């Protein structure tokens, strides 16, 4: 298990380090707080796929043993088609709840850890949409992703959604 700490100031092995994400089993600072573009391309494709329920956008983004957990039934999906199954479940939930024009927007990312083969990233997302009678649907939360570099391509190993309400009670 790798333990990561996000902080604004730390002293590790007698060295002052100002900000970033630190791996406590092998102290080092990530010099950039913005994840690499190729990682964000995968994340953006996933979040944007729910805006139009585009299963083709996620069809080749998940590892053979990928796992997704979400608060929509059946709550988990696995395998290389996990992303397709998840987008389909989101679409069904929107239809059942009469949510139209669902839009996911990514907020600034504050937590990620990266090595040559793996990325751990927490992605804050706000979803909004329309409900019948001019009402609005809105929910905030975060996805936690683990991506693996498979033959030079970043692919999703795990994806989990947590509503902000679970942490704040609001």
């Amino acid at each position: 298990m790798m333990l990561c700490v996000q902080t604004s100031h730390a002293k590790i092995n007698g060295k002052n380090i100002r900000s970033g994400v630190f791996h406590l089993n092998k102290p080092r600072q990530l010099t950039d707080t913005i994840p690499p573009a190729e990682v964000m391309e995968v994340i953006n494709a996933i979040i944007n796929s729910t805006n139009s329920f585009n299963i083709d956008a996620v069809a080749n983004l998940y590892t053979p043993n990928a796992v997704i957990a979400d608060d929509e039934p059946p709550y988990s999906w696995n395998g290389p088609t996990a992303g397709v199954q998840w987008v389909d479940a989101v679409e069904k939930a929107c239809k059942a709840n009469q949510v139209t024009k669902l839009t996911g927007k990514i907020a600034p990312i504050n937590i990620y850890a990266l090595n040559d083969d793996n990325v751990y990233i927490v992605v804050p997302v706000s979803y909004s949409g329309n409900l019948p009678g001019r009402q609005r649907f809105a929910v905030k939360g975060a996805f936690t992703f683990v991506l693996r570099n498979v033959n030079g391509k970043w692919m999703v190993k795990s994806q989990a959604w947590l509503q902000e309400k679970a942490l704040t009670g609001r």
Side-chain angles (χ1 to χ4, degrees):
M1 180 172 142
M2 181 187 318
L3 180 61
C4 297
V5 176
Q6 181 183 11
T7 183
S8 59
H9 186 266
K11 193 169 201 168
I12 297 177
N13 293 341
K15 295 180 184 176
N16 287 321
I17 302 175
R18 293 197 186 136
S19 66
V21 178
F22 307 94
H23 302 270
L24 296 184
N25 64 339
K26 189 174 183 182
R28 68 180 177 118
Q29 180 180 5
L30 295 178
T31 57
D32 195 351
T33 58
I34 300 172
E38 58 271 15
V39 168
M40 288 311 299
E41 285 175 18
V42 173
I43 302 297
N44 282 315
I46 292 166
I47 304 307
N48 292 334
S49 73
T50 59
N51 296 347
S52 60
F53 310 117
N54 183 356
I55 60 173
D56 292 332
V58 298
N60 297 308
L61 298 180
Y62 292 80
T63 64
N65 58 348
V67 176
I68 298 176
D70 200 320
D71 58 3
E72 297 299 337
Y75 310 113
S76 70
W77 304 266
N78 58 22
T81 62
V84 170
Q85 296 170 59
W86 171 72
V87 171
D88 185 56
V90 172
E91 181 177 21
K92 286 177 182 172
C94 286
K95 285 180 180 178
N97 293 293
Q98 299 180 326
V99 175
T100 59
K101 297 186 180 178
L102 181 69
T103 304
K105 293 188 179 179
I106 297 173
I109 293 169
N110 298 309
I111 299 174
Y112 84 98
L114 168 72
N115 67 23
D116 291 340
D117 298 323
N118 299 286
V119 174
Y120 169 84
I121 186 168
V122 179
V123 182
V125 177
S126 296
Y127 279 105
S128 62
N130 295 332
L131 290 165
R134 296 185 179 239
Q135 295 180 46
R136 295 284 296 155
F137 165 80
V139 65
K140 290 182 179 182
F143 285 100
T144 301
F145 290 96
V146 173
L147 280 75
R148 296 263 163 87
N149 190 328
V150 179
N151 299 321
K153 178 181 176 184
W154 288 106
M155 300 183 76
V156 177
K157 168 65 175 116
S158 65
Q159 169 183 326
W161 166 254
L162 179 67
Q163 286 190 38
E164 181 181 60
K165 177 170 93 172
L167 299 174
T168 64
R170 294 177 269 143

